[in-house]
Amino acid sequence: MNLLYPSFLWALGVLVVPIIIHLFNFRRATRIYFSNTRFLRQVKEASTARRRLKHYLILAARLLFLFFLVITFCQPIIPAKDQLANSRAIALYLDNSQSMSARLEDKTRGLDAAAQMARSIVSTFPPETRYKLITNDFAPFSNTFKTGAEIQDLLTQLRLSPVTRSMQEVSDRITQDIVSGQRQEVFWIADFQRSTTGKLDHTLDTTARWHLVPIRFQPMSNIFVDSAYLENPFAVSGEKNVLRVNMRNDGVREADQVNVKLLVNNVQTGAATVSIPAGGMTEINFDLATGLTGLHKATISFNDFPVTFDNTFNLALNFADKIRVVEVKSMTATEAVQKVYGNQQVFAYKGFAVGNFNYNELEQADLVVMNGLNNIEPSLAGAVRNYLLNGGTVLIAPGAQPQADGWKNALTLPALKTIPQEAMVELDRPDFSNPFFENVFEEKSVSLAMPKATRVWDWGSDRSAILRFKNDQPFLSVFDQGGKLYILASTLDTDHTDFHQHALFVPVMYRLAASSKKQEGKLYYSLNETFVPLRLDSLPRDVPVRLVGKEEVIPGQRVVGDNVFLDIPGFSVEQGFYKIVAQGDTVGLIAFNVNKAESLMEQYTGEEVKAQAGGGENVSIFEASTIDAFSNEIKERYLGTPLWKYALMAALLFLLAEILLIRFLK
């Protein structure tokens, strides 16, 4: 035990006062005469002994009262367990992700509790201490150390962020500012979700002392949208479609009678009541009305407490125009392509004989199919080459006797060669993990019957082929040549394949056409995705694409032909809808949602967090579950445990004892 103000010990001299009072009786004695004192002498002897005991007890109570009163002013304290590093530099990381909107057991919001804990840290240390506040945004104010008053002001401006950070990212951000040879204190205040914390690639920097402060939420479950997709993998104007939504229950109890609504352009168009099993998922289907064209904002909403940040889910319905398909074919080519793209609600199909083809048609086409051609003229080869370089999509279905040399130069495929006619070989089943087949098949059956084909040419091994023979030779491959070049190993006539008569032919050709659509895009993006690809026609290179939502954002962008690659700044984009604006025209719509991992509320315990951080001696855990408990714990660790209150209570106790002795002890 130490005394903060030992100079007050001189006041212990006051203890001689009750001793002097006890030794010298200042009351004057009164003489009383009695006729017979024999009996009085006996009474006097007995009462004097009792009175002496009473006086000693009262003296002891007075001495102890004065002693503890003096000790109270000396402010006794149990020394602190930890001492602040000599550098007086403290880094504060405060997790302000969306999951911090959940409630603690005392109903305080997690972010508010974290901010209050940070204030307790700032108020605990000396005024000359400097602090660095780091949040998930990695904002510019995190680059410099600030005074306690400046940090207090920043904490009042703290808001929930759409950005999620792993433990590795936070560690790297803090470590990059640690000066070599300088010891630093780090307070890490976060909810430490299992889904977002991740694992460290290395142990925490041993030159710093890391204090982990887990924010512990009350036990809860959460319901959220796990995924959503259209039954038809690409949206087409005016065609009926079905929106499939997978609802997930991250809890230990069944969620019963959950009301889910679908709003399109803020108008309710569908509703459903579902029950979701504990730890499971339930699919809901919403019919989308026919006649929808253009861009539409769809929102799935429901009520779920106490976690509410993910109670809405946004989808951008970009109902594009018909897919424009141009077929260039020989006189002997089959009509398989014309039949599959003959659906006038989905496709705008044009077929031309190779000798009667206007090259200007290429400029307006989304997909060009060259069917049954054995050779290609240099002028047509040049036009197709330019079309590919400008981001177009071409499918080559060769003739029965292709001239490899001509095609080799036109398609820039050096390994292309013709081969002697072989026996028909069955195709291997599709690789359903290939992005080409995403949302194409409802059931991924292993026993799917496959078509047969015989190759007329070969371009070498291709492990990424969309379809392969069972002997591992490629049947349908795609090459990135500015645009997409699809090539079939077989002609489409009946003598060489039954692929065009097989059930697999239509979904493959539809998906191929869908991938060629220049307005093809995802229904939604997560806020943790920082890369968004777009495909726009005739975009000037000197005019940037803007995202217009609650605020206007001009992201970093790179233009390659008709392709635009946007780098989305996570701290500038919020959950919601953003219009894609180019040259003043709205050319698309993007929907952003909260990172799905944020909705998984399971947390690491304190010991698990320490183990994740390496468990070194420079890592400590604050187990306080409330703001007041944390404030007391931080003061105990760095300021010690004050005992003056106990000394004052003891002084008052002995004062009370003195009063009781005088009043009741006869």
Side-chain angles (χ1 to χ4, degrees):
M1 183 183 73
N2 294 334
L3 300 177
L4 293 182
Y5 303 101
S7 58
F8 275 100
L9 289 175
W10 64 265
L12 289 177
V14 75
L15 294 178
V16 302
V17 174
I19 296 175
I20 293 174
I21 294 175
H22 180 77
L23 294 177
F24 299 95
N25 187 355
F26 294 104
R27 293 178 300 175
R28 295 181 61 184
T30 303
R31 181 173 293 182
I32 300 175
Y33 296 93
F34 291 90
S35 59
N36 190 340
T37 61
R38 181 167 62 90
F39 296 106
L40 291 175
R41 187 179 296 113
Q42 295 174 357
V43 172
K44 179 181 178 181
E45 290 174 354
S47 60
T48 299
R50 294 192 187 97
R51 186 166 57 251
R52 186 178 296 114
L53 175 61
K54 177 179 180 180
H55 288 174
Y56 284 144
L57 291 175
I58 293 173
L59 175 63
R62 288 173 179 172
L63 290 174
L64 290 171
F65 163 69
L66 292 174
F67 172 79
F68 282 108
L69 187 62
V70 172
I71 294 299
T72 299
F73 284 96
C74 292
Q75 293 200 21
I77 188 171
I78 297 176
K81 300 177 183 178
D82 298 323
Q83 299 295 328
L84 184 63
N86 295 331
S87 63
R88 301 289 188 186
I90 294 179
L92 292 171
Y93 167 70
L94 200 153
D95 179 10
N96 61 334
S97 60
Q98 291 291 329
S99 60
M100 290 289 282
S101 62
R103 304 284 172 170
L104 280 68
E105 291 185 1
D106 59 0
K107 306 305 179 184
T108 304
R109 192 174 64 151
L111 183 63
D112 297 334
Q116 190 59 43
M117 290 177 178
R119 293 188 184 96
S120 297
I121 295 172
V122 172
S123 62
T124 297
F125 296 108
E128 63 271 17
T129 307
R130 291 296 180 265
Y131 306 87
K132 181 179 291 185
L133 179 62
I134 301 173
T135 62
N136 285 15
D137 298 323
F138 290 174
F141 65 72
S142 303
N143 297 328
T144 58
F145 283 94
K146 294 177 170 51
T147 64
E150 291 174 322
I151 293 297
Q152 295 279 17
D153 183 57
L154 287 173
L155 289 172
T156 62
Q157 304 172 31
L158 200 61
R159 299 293 182 269
L160 291 170
S161 169
V163 181
T164 300
R165 298 291 183 186
S166 66
M167 181 175 277
Q168 184 64 54
E169 290 177 293
V170 176
S171 171
D172 292 342
R173 176 63 182 84
I174 295 174
T175 304
Q176 74 181 20
D177 294 331
I178 295 179
V179 179
S180 178
Q182 179 178 345
R183 191 171 181 83
Q184 183 171 303
E185 305 281 338
V186 179
F187 286 87
W188 191 321
I189 309 174
D191 56 10
F192 294 107
Q193 289 175 272
R194 291 183 180 271
S195 58
T196 60
T197 299
K199 293 184 178 181
L200 288 172
D201 296 335
H202 51 76
T203 58
L204 294 174
D205 193 327
T206 55
T207 62
R209 291 196 297 183
W210 302 78
H211 308 284
L212 308 182
V213 187
I215 300 294
R216 300 296 300 172
F217 300 128
Q218 61 179 335
M220 68 184 73
S221 60
N222 186 30
I223 299 172
F224 59 95
V225 175
D226 182 81
S227 60
Y229 60 94
L230 293 172
E231 184 177 61
N232 192 337
F234 55 96
V236 180
S237 299
E239 187 180 44
K240 183 179 178 180
N241 215 327
V242 177
L243 177 64
R244 300 186 182 275
V245 181
N246 289 316
M247 301 288 296
R248 182 170 176 178
N249 179 8
D250 178 40
V252 296
R253 291 181 298 180
E254 180 183 11
D256 191 30
Q257 300 296 308
V258 179
N259 294 319
V260 185
K261 301 177 182 178
L262 172 65
L263 292 85
V264 177
N265 301 323
N266 296 320
V267 177
Q268 182 174 329
T269 60
T273 301
V274 296
S275 296
I276 311 173
M281 288 196 298
T282 299
E283 184 178 85
I284 309 173
N285 297 329
F286 293 105
D287 290 331
L288 298 178
T290 58
L292 290 176
T293 59
L295 309 177
H296 300 274
K297 300 176 181 179
T299 302
I300 301 165
S301 66
F302 52 92
N303 292 325
D304 176 42
F305 297 97
V307 182
T308 60
F309 70 87
D310 52 4
N311 284 5
T312 59
F313 194 84
N314 302 312
L315 304 104
L317 302 179
N318 293 332
F319 286 98
D321 295 330
K322 297 178 181 180
I323 299 176
R324 298 175 296 241
V325 179
V326 170
E327 182 186 14
V328 182
K329 55 186 176 180
S330 66
M331 298 301 294
T332 59
T334 65
E335 296 183 353
V337 175
Q338 180 178 350
K339 289 180 179 179
V340 76
Y341 293 135
N343 186 346
Q344 296 182 0
Q345 290 184 333
V346 180
F347 304 103
Y349 169 84
K350 292 182 179 180
F352 300 93
V354 65
N356 189 28
F357 176 57
N358 184 353
Y359 296 167
N360 291 330
E361 295 288 344
L362 294 175
E363 296 180 2
Q364 304 300 321
D366 294 310
L367 171 64
V368 174
V369 181
M370 308 192 75
N371 182 18
L373 303 183
N374 287 316
N375 204 352
I376 183 170
E377 296 181 357
S379 58
L380 179 58
V384 171
R385 170 56 45 195
N386 290 333
Y387 174 74
L388 274 172
L389 293 176
N390 290 326
T393 302
V394 177
L395 170 64
I396 306 295
Q401 298 177 342
Q403 303 298 316
D405 292 338
W407 286 104
K408 183 187 303 184
N409 297 327
L411 304 179
T412 62
L413 293 177
L416 189 67
K417 63 181 180 180
T418 57
I419 58 176
Q421 186 171 354
E422 302 173 339
M424 283 195 180
V425 178
E426 186 176 345
L427 271 62
D428 198 1
R429 76 184 192 91
D431 179 7
F432 296 112
S433 63
N434 190 320
F436 182 88
F437 294 107
E438 183 178 3
N439 296 331
V440 173
F441 299 101
E442 287 188 6
E443 297 183 4
K444 300 176 176 57
S445 174
V446 178
S447 59
L448 178 68
M450 296 300 296
K452 297 179 180 179
T454 180
R455 297 185 300 158
V456 295
W457 59 9
D458 177 72
W459 51 87
S461 177
D462 183 7
R463 301 300 302 173
S464 61
I466 297 172
L467 290 173
R468 292 193 296 267
F469 291 96
K470 284 195 172 181
N471 59 12
D472 212 32
Q473 295 296 324
F475 174 74
L476 173 61
S477 291
V478 59
F479 300 92
D480 187 356
Q481 297 188 358
K484 296 177 182 178
L485 171 63
Y486 294 89
I487 183 169
L488 282 167
S490 171
T491 182
L492 291 179
D493 64 52
T494 308
D495 294 335
H496 290 80
T497 184
D498 60 353
F499 176 54
H500 57 285
Q501 300 172 342
H502 194 272
L504 185 64
F505 182 66
V506 172
V508 167
M509 298 297 282
Y510 265 53
R511 188 69 187 96
L512 191 150
S515 67
S516 73
K517 188 59 186 173
K518 296 182 180 181
Q519 293 293 340
E520 183 188 25
K522 294 173 64 175
L523 288 178
Y524 57 89
Y525 291 88
S526 175
L527 287 172
N528 65 320
E529 296 182 64
T530 58
F531 178 76
V532 174
L534 300 175
R535 196 171 180 184
L536 304 175
D537 290 326
S538 304
L539 181 69
R541 296 179 180 272
D542 57 343
V543 179
V545 173
R546 295 176 292 126
L547 300 181
V548 180
K550 294 180 180 178
E551 296 181 354
E552 182 174 314
V553 179
I554 301 179
Q557 48 200 272
R558 182 167 55 93
V559 180
V560 180
D562 289 341
N563 296 294
V564 182
F565 303 93
L566 304 181
D567 294 323
I568 305 299
F571 58 88
S572 298
V573 177
E574 300 179 2
Q575 181 182 13
F577 296 96
Y578 286 83
K579 295 179 180 178
I580 305 171
V581 179
Q583 287 187 306
D585 297 328
T586 300
V587 295
L589 184 68
I590 297 180
F592 287 101
N593 294 297
V594 176
N595 182 8
K596 184 170 60 177
E598 282 289 311
S599 299
L600 301 172
M601 301 303 296
E602 187 178 2
Q603 299 174 272
Y604 284 116
T605 63
E607 289 304 317
E608 288 174 330
V609 171
K610 186 173 182 179
Q612 289 287 94
E617 294 182 357
N618 63 325
V619 180
S620 62
I621 297 289
F622 283 84
E623 294 287 2
S625 58
T626 64
I627 298 173
D628 292 339
F630 174 80
S631 179
N632 293 334
E633 187 174 353
I634 189 72
K635 291 178 181 178
E636 179 181 340
R637 286 198 185 190
Y638 284 92
L639 299 182
T641 304
L643 302 176
W644 65 269
K645 293 181 180 179
Y646 302 103
L648 180 60
M649 292 173 60
L652 295 175
L653 179 63
F654 286 112
L655 178 61
L656 177 63
E658 178 187 353
I659 295 173
L660 294 176
L661 287 171
I662 295 173
R663 175 67 179 82
F664 295 105
L665 187 59
K666 302 298 183 181

